């Protein structure tokens, strides 16, 4: 046990403004070992790794490499310490060839000769089993090829410690298998590999040790062979906390919005939504849980008419006329003209929801400017609406004519939610409506959502805090990688159950993995 | 006749070539410097001021070496200062590049006219221009045997040293950009500063150095115009829209200095051709002068339609870079 660890972190702390991203994190990794860092989104995994690779600088704490304390204040110093990071969003120059990207930033003393570099790259590729053409341009490459370039880039610099930030998030199962094979080969070669992930089956099949982070705090490290999925899930999501959010039973819920087998793909051909089906009922709050980026945004945007669908239909039962209409591939304006009263509180408040440089009144008018016959704008009604929202929701603002961007996050959200509710919707969609809000503002938002539910509105709530989802919602749809992994009754489920659903991939994938190991 | 037209086209093209080479180096670092017209003005008036003071001091009996070195370095210092102002505002303070560039153009033209006007007042001349014929004569010196070579000499060997220097600079820029490590790093900074930073390249340093070098090169374009093309005669407004033409040439050359050499001669040709047309109206001349811009727009349309990644502007052109932005 008196081996010197390849890398050791002691009490690393980092804050951004008032938000603590990492608090007293300790980690060790040996040579020839694969360490997984497990945690939900926002648990501080990437921030921690960015500090090792010199992108951020820790506020306090020490880093030891091979037993010696080091200070890493820039990416270059990370390279000097033989640390290489493969970021989730690839850091590659599109118009450069693979070889040009790989040698970028290197300060050799010998002359600059691309052919010599290409040969060395081919040599590394053979050693580890990569399949790459050094002269191919990045923009002509698939995601998996780009990742290969990133990995070769750090190997080329002689890195001994490789950090991979969610490397499998963008890969197909086959590509993932290939990557794991390469990583195991590197482990045999004596390299230290740190892999950030939230997929449990990958952790179990690949790593030697698992370190768990939760909301910036270090929970602990366990040996993979001595643990199981449920223990890891518990460490990851933590014990349930009582929030005392009021929840009434739904009053005669009726099907309002039926999502039938919808799918959509992005420009690269990756499926963002894969055969999603569920029903949102009037008079209930439907929660949507999932790791960030699992398709929540695309789901809401496709209902709002902002996302093109490849398959499926979105059926809306109009409570007034009793007619059923398909909202698929309609623009937001067409949807409104059909008499569908849809309110949408997007995740990106000042990007999609409000215009930061305009005041509260003008932002109210974004929804109502088409009303009225005169060539001049009708400002009276929006002004009284703005004042009403300021009073009722206790928006802290000097006046209704203050630009929205000068308000704090919570107040911006109140203005946005207030405006959306004022249109007396029949469907209300809210994506992370309490993100960045203090406790009081959060409860105010919960109450507003509950109020809408009492009025018979079908509320769809996308959240990240499982405790809130469990107490606020009536039913919860869990999605993972664009697929539905389960629909549960929020009253009779546990945090662990949802946590498992969020992180688990479909069964057949795990079986394939186990076969590989034997 | 044809040889004369080509000769004039090249002379028209050289200021554009210097301006566009400077701007290409600048843009490759991700800085869209719209201050180039102003910088060329400042380069010109700095050179003129240096030459003027020197000529006044020696009373017209100029030493050839000093007559070249003094205006040359005055010009470089003047335009370098403009480049530094631009870098300080956009790289260090992260001001908007378009606004900064346009302000520098207004500022530079103003400076040019102010000092130009002041020098004209100093000479007490009746016409609104100053003539530095002694300095210009040194600048315009060409190889002695050119006359004996006929049209070959006129097309290829009749120019002054600044013209050849412009072509050498353009070829050198092309070589540095494509064949050296520095060029690779520079292109990475302009394409994707986050990536460049993550690989340990000093983004701010590259932006500063190449924007300033680019400004100095562009400033030489102004100097060439006054000393060679205009025979040492400075008059306010004479430089015209050549600065904007240089920026248009960057797009025409799809950010390649080697293409810029040919492009500058083409643009220069379009500028001078109407002079040699016997029966063209005044309006016609102005119409022909718009052709370079029309050609640039056509090039833009073609490159946009073909959408070949290599022919697009640097991906982060016009954006400031700040590492800890989340």
């Amino acid at each position: 046990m008196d081996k010197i660890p390849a890398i050791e972190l002691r009490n690393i702390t980092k804050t951004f403004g008032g938000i603590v991203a990492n608090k007293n994190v300790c980690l060790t990794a040996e040579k020839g070992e694969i360490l997984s860092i497990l945690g939900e989104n926002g648990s501080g995994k990437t921030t921690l790794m960015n500090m090792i690779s010199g992108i951020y600088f820790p506020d306090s704490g020490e880093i030891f490499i091979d037993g010696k304390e080091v200070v890493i204040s820039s990416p270059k110093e990370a390279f000097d310490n033989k640390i290489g990071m493969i970021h989730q969003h690839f850091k590659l120059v599109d118009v450069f060839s693979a070889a040009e990207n790989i040698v970028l930033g290197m300060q050799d003393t010998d002359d600059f000769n691309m052919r010599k570099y290409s040969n060395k790259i081919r040599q590394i590729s053979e050693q580890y089993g990569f399949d790459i053409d050094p002269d191919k341009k990045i923009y002509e490459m698939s995601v998996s090829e780009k990742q290969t370039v990133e990995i070769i880039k750090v190997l080329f610099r002689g890195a001994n410690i490789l950090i991979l930030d969610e490397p499998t998030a963008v890969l197909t199962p086959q590509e993932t298998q290939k990557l794991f094979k390469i990583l195991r080969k590197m482990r045999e070669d004596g390299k230290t590999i740190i892999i950030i992930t939230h997929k449990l089956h990958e952790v179990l099949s690949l790593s030697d040790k698992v370190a768990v982070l939760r909301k910036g705090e270090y929970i602990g490290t366990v040996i993979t062979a001595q643990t199981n999925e449920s223990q890891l899930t518990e460490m990851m999501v933590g014990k349930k906390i009582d929030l005392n959010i009021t929840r009434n039973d739904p009053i005669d819920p009726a099907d309002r919005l039926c999502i039938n087998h919808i799918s959509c793909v992005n420009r690269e051909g990756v499926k963002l939504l894969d055969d999603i089906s569920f029903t949102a009922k009037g008079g209930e709050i439907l929660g949507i849980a999932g790791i960030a980026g699992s398709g929540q945004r695309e789901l809401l945007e496709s209902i709002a008419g902002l996302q093109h669908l490849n398959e499926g239909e979105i059926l809306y039962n109009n409570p007034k006329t009793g007619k059923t209409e398909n909202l698929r591939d309609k623009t937001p304006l067409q949807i409104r003209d059909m008499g569908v009263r849809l309110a949408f509180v997007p995740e990106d408040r000042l990007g999609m929801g409000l215009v930061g440089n305009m005041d509260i009144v003008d932002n109210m008018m974004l929804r109502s400017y088409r009303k009225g016959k005169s060539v001049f704008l009708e400002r009276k009604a929006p002004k009284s609406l703005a004042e009403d929202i300021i009073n009722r929701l206790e928006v802290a603002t000097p006046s209704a004519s203050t630009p929205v961007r000068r308000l704090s996050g919570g107040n911006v959200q109140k203005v946005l939610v207030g405006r959306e509710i004022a249109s007396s919707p029949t469907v209300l969609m809210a994506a992370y409506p309490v993100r960045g809000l203090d406790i009081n503002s959060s409860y105010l938002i919960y109450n507003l959502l509950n109020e809408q539910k009492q009025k018979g509105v079908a509320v769809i709530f996308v959240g990240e805090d499982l405790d809130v989802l469990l107490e606020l919602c009536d039913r919860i749809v869990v999605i993972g990688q664009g697929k539905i992994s389960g629909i549960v009754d929020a009253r009779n489920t546990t945090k662990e159950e949802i946590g498992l659903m969020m992180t688990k991939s479909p069964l057949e994938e795990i079986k394939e993995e186990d076969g590989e190991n034997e | 006749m044809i040889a004369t037209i080509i000769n004039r086209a090249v002379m028209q093209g050289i200021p554009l070539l210097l301006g566009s080479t400077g701007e290409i180096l600048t843009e490759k670092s991700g800085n869209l410097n719209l201050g180039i017209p102003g910088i060329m003005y400042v380069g010109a008036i700095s050179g003129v001021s240096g030459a003027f003071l020197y000529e006044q001091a020696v009373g017209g009996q100029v030493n050839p070496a000093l007559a070249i070195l003094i205006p040359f370095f005055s010009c470089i210092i003047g335009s370098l200062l403009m480049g530094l102002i631009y870098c300080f505002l956009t790289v260090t303070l992260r001001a908007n590049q378009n606004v900064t560039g346009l302000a520098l153009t207004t500022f530079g033209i103003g400076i040019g006219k102010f000092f130009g006007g002041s020098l004209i007042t100093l000479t007490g001349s009746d016409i609104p221009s100053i003539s530095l014929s002694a300095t210009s004569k040194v600048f315009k010196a060409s190889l002695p045997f050119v006359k004996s070579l006929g049209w070959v000499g006129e097309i290829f060997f009749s120019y002054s040293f600044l013209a050849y220097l412009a072509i050498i600079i353009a070829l050198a820029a092309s070589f540095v950009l494509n064949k050296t490590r520095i060029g690779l790093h520079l292109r990475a900074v302009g394409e994707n500063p986050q990536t460049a930073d993550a690989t340990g390249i000093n983004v701010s340093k590259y932006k500063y150095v190449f924007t300033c070098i680019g400004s100095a090169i562009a400033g030489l374009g102004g100097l060439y115009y006054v000393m060679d093309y205009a025979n040492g005669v400075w008059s306010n407004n004479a430089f015209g829209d050549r600065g904007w033409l240089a920026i248009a040439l960057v797009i025409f050359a799809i950010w390649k200095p080697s293409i810029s050499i040919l492009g500058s001669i083409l643009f220069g040709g379009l500028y001078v051709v109407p002079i040699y047309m016997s029966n063209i109206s005044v309006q016609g001349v102005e119409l022909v002068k718009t052709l370079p811009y029309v050609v640039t727009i056509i090039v833009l349309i073609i490159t946009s339609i073909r959408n070949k990644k290599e022919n697009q502007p640097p991906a982060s052109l016009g954006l400031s870079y700040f590492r800890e932005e989340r």
Side-chain angles (χ1 to χ4, degrees):
Chain A
M1 273 314 282
D2 44 2
K3 259 199 295 182
I4 297 169
I7 182 163
E8 182 177 2
L9 308 186
R10 286 189 201 155
N11 296 320
I12 297 282
T13 299
K14 173 83 185 172
T15 55
F16 290 103
I19 299 158
V20 181
N22 282 132
K23 193 175 158 194
N24 292 333
V25 179
C26 306
L27 279 182
T28 53
E30 315 283 343
K31 285 196 182 69
E33 185 176 75
I34 300 182
L35 169 75
S36 290
I37 298 189
L38 187 66
E40 289 183 274
N41 272 84
S43 57
K45 296 168 294 187
T46 303
T47 307
L48 183 66
M49 291 304 114
N50 275 339
M51 281 189 279
I52 304 178
S53 61
I55 306 275
Y56 299 144
F57 193 72
D59 297 343
S60 66
E62 297 109 53
I63 300 173
F64 294 85
I65 306 279
D66 294 327
K68 270 180 289 212
E69 181 168 2
V70 292
V71 176
I72 303 169
S73 55
S74 73
K76 204 180 157 296
E77 284 170 38
F79 291 136
D80 294 344
N81 286 302
K82 307 263 177 211
I83 299 170
M85 177 147 175
I86 292 108
H87 295 269
Q88 192 177 2
H89 304 287
F90 301 133
K91 299 206 178 236
L92 296 171
V93 180
D94 268 353
V95 295
F96 284 12
S97 69
E100 282 176 321
N101 267 291
I102 288 165
V103 302
L104 190 65
M106 299 216 353
Q107 298 293 346
D108 274 356
T109 38
D110 53 346
D111 34 309
F112 182 76
N113 182 340
M114 287 313 293
R115 195 172 303 152
K116 187 190 73 190
Y117 291 135
S118 294
N119 286 334
K120 198 175 161 197
I121 290 162
R122 286 201 185 89
Q123 190 193 320
I124 292 178
S125 305
E126 273 168 36
Q127 189 186 343
Y128 291 105
F130 294 115
D131 180 21
I132 196 89
D133 172 10
D135 301 320
K136 198 168 173 185
K137 292 276 164 71
I138 297 299
Y139 66 83
E140 296 168 336
M141 288 187 174
S142 70
V143 182
S144 151
E145 281 177 294
K146 287 181 191 170
Q147 189 177 53
T148 307
V149 174
E150 285 277 19
I151 295 174
I152 298 176
K153 194 159 120 185
V154 296
L155 289 175
F156 194 87
R157 274 152 230 257
N160 288 327
I161 301 168
L162 276 87
I163 304 166
L164 293 102
D165 188 357
E166 310 224 356
T168 59
V170 289
L171 300 183
T172 63
Q174 291 78 10
E175 288 168 339
T176 306
Q177 293 305 323
K178 221 162 120 190
L179 173 70
F180 284 3
K181 216 177 266 175
I182 287 166
L183 291 181
R184 289 190 186 109
K185 220 170 207 171
M186 286 180 192
R187 170 171 63 184
E188 283 161 29
D189 208 35
K191 309 250 184 229
T192 306
I193 293 159
I194 303 178
I195 166 168
I196 300 177
T197 184
H198 49 240
K199 292 180 188 164
L200 283 175
H201 72 276
E202 290 180 5
V203 170
L204 291 168
S205 77
L206 182 70
S207 62
D208 302 300
K209 279 200 306 198
V210 191
V212 184
L213 295 182
R214 188 202 309 150
K215 289 179 181 159
E217 282 185 61
Y218 172 64
I219 304 301
T221 305
V222 287
I223 310 287
T224 313
Q226 299 166 2
T227 188
N228 55 42
E229 287 196 6
S230 60
Q231 189 197 354
L232 288 175
T233 310
E234 201 191 300
M235 287 175 80
M236 203 166 118
V237 296
K239 289 265 179 289
K240 185 163 174 8
I241 308 157
D242 254 339
L243 299 169
N244 291 320
I245 302 171
T246 44
R247 172 168 58 190
N248 298 311
D249 285 332
I251 307 158
D252 46 68
D255 289 5
R256 181 69 45 81
L257 206 56
C258 299
I259 314 289
N260 288 334
H261 307 285
I262 60 169
S263 299
C264 78
V265 295
N266 69 2
R267 259 186 297 175
E268 277 93 44
V270 177
K271 278 204 166 176
L272 301 173
L273 295 178
D274 193 355
D275 197 20
I276 297 252
S277 299
F278 63 85
T279 305
K281 293 176 182 162
E284 80 166 11
I285 299 184
L286 179 74
I288 294 180
I291 301 287
S294 303
Q296 294 96 321
R297 184 196 174 111
E298 289 76 17
L299 178 59
L300 294 196
E301 287 186 358
S302 50
I303 298 173
L306 300 169
Q307 171 79 45
H308 173 77
L309 288 179
N310 297 75
E311 274 167 57
E313 52 183 12
I314 297 166
L315 297 178
Y316 173 78
N317 294 324
N318 197 326
K320 264 196 191 144
T321 58
K323 271 195 285 187
T324 301
E325 279 160 311
N326 192 352
L327 305 186
R328 182 186 161 178
D329 296 342
K330 296 272 192 306
T331 66
L333 207 61
Q334 285 171 327
I335 291 176
R336 192 188 311 183
D337 290 343
M338 282 158 67
V340 181
R341 291 209 305 278
L342 210 63
F344 183 24
V345 179
E347 180 182 346
D348 183 9
R349 291 163 206 169
L350 285 180
M352 270 178 78
L354 301 169
V355 179
N357 281 333
M358 291 184 355
D359 67 21
I360 301 176
V361 179
D362 286 350
N363 270 297
M364 294 301 134
M365 290 170 65
L366 287 180
R367 256 196 172 264
S368 63
Y369 67 93
R370 261 184 222 90
K371 284 180 192 158
K373 295 262 185 306
S374 156
V375 281
F376 298 106
L377 287 171
E378 212 270 290
R379 293 184 68 94
K380 237 184 221 151
K383 187 150 192 260
S384 67
L385 174 61
E387 274 159 5
D388 182 46
I389 288 172
I390 292 170
N391 290 332
R392 209 156 46 86
L393 305 188
E394 292 159 3
V395 180
T397 172
S399 76
S401 52
T402 307
V404 174
R405 82 186 139 78
R406 292 227 204 110
L407 305 182
S408 72
N411 288 309
V412 168
Q413 188 69 323
K414 285 181 195 170
V415 170
L416 178 55
V417 173
R419 184 188 75 192
E420 291 303 312
I421 288 173
S423 63
S424 55
T426 51
V427 178
L428 171 63
M429 298 187 286
Y432 310 107
V434 297
R435 186 183 274 175
L437 267 57
D438 61 30
I439 304 281
N440 285 332
S441 310
S442 301
Y443 275 84
L444 195 100
I445 301 285
Y446 301 147
N447 288 339
L448 285 171
L449 294 179
N450 267 323
E451 217 174 83
Q452 293 301 309
K453 168 183 161 184
Q454 298 293 91
K455 283 187 188 162
V457 176
V459 180
I460 299 176
F461 175 85
V462 178
E464 48 196 347
D465 192 330
L466 293 185
D467 291 315
V468 172
L469 281 162
L470 279 173
E471 287 199 27
L472 179 70
C473 305
D474 298 294
R475 287 182 306 139
I476 299 174
V477 176
V478 187
I479 57 176
Q481 294 176 49
K483 290 191 192 111
I484 292 211
S485 39
I487 300 179
V488 292
D489 182 348
R491 287 177 180 79
N492 308 315
T493 189
T494 60
K495 212 169 162 184
E496 285 74 27
E497 195 185 341
I498 297 182
L500 263 179
M501 282 182 175
M502 276 164 64
T503 50
K504 215 169 179 174
S505 293
L507 274 173
E508 61 270 18
E509 238 174 82
I510 298 168
K511 275 184 194 146
E512 199 179 312
E513 194 93 27
D514 290 342
E516 176 83 20
N517 267 346
E518 281 154 16
Chain B
M1 172 70 176
I2 301 264
T4 314
I5 292 181
I6 293 176
N7 179 290
R8 297 304 292 175
V10 172
M11 287 187 69
Q12 271 289 356
I14 293 301
L16 307 182
L17 175 59
L18 285 163
S20 70
T21 308
E23 179 70 2
I24 288 172
L25 288 177
T26 307
E27 292 197 9
K28 283 286 180 188
S29 78
N31 280 349
L32 177 63
N33 189 354
L34 294 180
I36 286 293
I39 289 169
M40 293 176 85
Y41 244 96
V42 169
I45 195 66
S46 305
V48 165
S49 306
F52 178 80
L53 294 175
Y54 177 62
E55 275 194 21
Q56 295 289 82
V58 297
Q61 299 300 311
V62 294
N63 171 329
L66 283 178
I68 284 185
L69 288 177
I70 290 174
F72 190 82
F73 283 104
S74 315
C75 161
I76 285 191
I77 289 167
S79 38
L80 206 61
L81 274 177
M82 292 290 278
L84 267 179
I85 295 175
Y86 179 85
C87 286
F88 180 69
L89 286 169
T90 62
V91 181
T92 307
L93 302 181
R94 291 191 290 276
N96 181 300
Q97 295 189 4
N98 296 343
V99 176
T100 309
L102 291 173
L104 274 192
T105 286
T106 316
F107 175 65
I109 293 175
I111 284 209
K113 288 184 178 170
F114 172 75
F115 283 101
S118 308
L119 293 180
I120 291 164
T121 318
L122 277 182
T123 56
S125 111
D126 299 333
I127 40 166
S129 63
I130 37 174
S131 177
L132 302 160
S133 47
T135 311
S136 170
K137 206 180 241 168
V138 185
F139 264 89
K140 287 195 73 144
S142 59
L143 298 171
F145 53 83
V146 169
K147 288 262 157 56
S148 61
L149 291 173
W151 63 270
V152 179
E154 190 168 5
I155 294 178
F156 296 105
F157 303 109
S158 63
Y159 313 104
S160 67
F161 81 100
L162 262 183
Y164 297 106
L165 184 66
I167 290 169
I168 291 169
I169 289 174
L171 292 175
S174 185
F175 177 80
V176 168
L177 279 174
N178 297 314
K179 296 277 183 243
T180 67
R181 193 189 306 281
I182 290 173
L184 185 72
H185 290 185
L186 174 65
R187 283 186 289 141
V189 167
E191 289 288 342
N192 192 335
Q194 287 83 5
T195 298
D197 194 17
T199 54
I201 296 169
N202 187 336
V203 173
S204 297
K205 188 173 104 185
Y206 269 87
K207 280 184 175 254
Y208 258 94
V209 168
F210 281 93
T211 303
C212 289
I213 291 179
S215 297
I217 294 172
L220 287 179
L223 185 70
Y224 178 89
Y225 172 79
V226 182
M227 293 304 172
D228 285 54
Y229 186 82
N231 296 317
V233 177
W234 168 276
S235 58
N236 288 344
N237 296 329
F239 190 67
D241 62 352
R242 287 179 175 78
W244 296 114
L245 216 47
I247 292 177
L249 183 55
V250 172
I251 300 164
F252 177 86
I254 47 174
W255 291 267
K256 292 185 173 70
S258 47
I259 298 182
S260 193
I261 298 175
L262 298 175
S264 68
I265 297 171
L266 174 71
F267 276 29
L270 291 171
Y271 229 87
V272 294
V273 152
I275 302 167
Y276 294 92
M277 289 175 163
S278 47
N279 49 2
I280 191 165
S281 63
V282 184
Q283 299 95 309
V285 171
E286 293 303 320
L287 216 53
V288 174
K289 275 189 176 179
T290 64
L291 280 178
Y293 296 104
V294 176
V295 174
T296 303
I297 291 169
I298 292 170
V299 168
L300 257 182
I301 292 170
I302 292 172
T303 52
S304 299
I305 290 174
R306 289 185 60 205
N307 202 15
K308 196 164 170 249
K309 286 263 189 177
E310 283 87 347
N311 294 342
Q312 301 303 315
S316 86
L317 184 62
L319 308 172
S320 331
Y321 175 63
F322 177 47
R323 185 188 288 170
E324 290 217 8
E325 210 158 65
R326 293 193 87 196

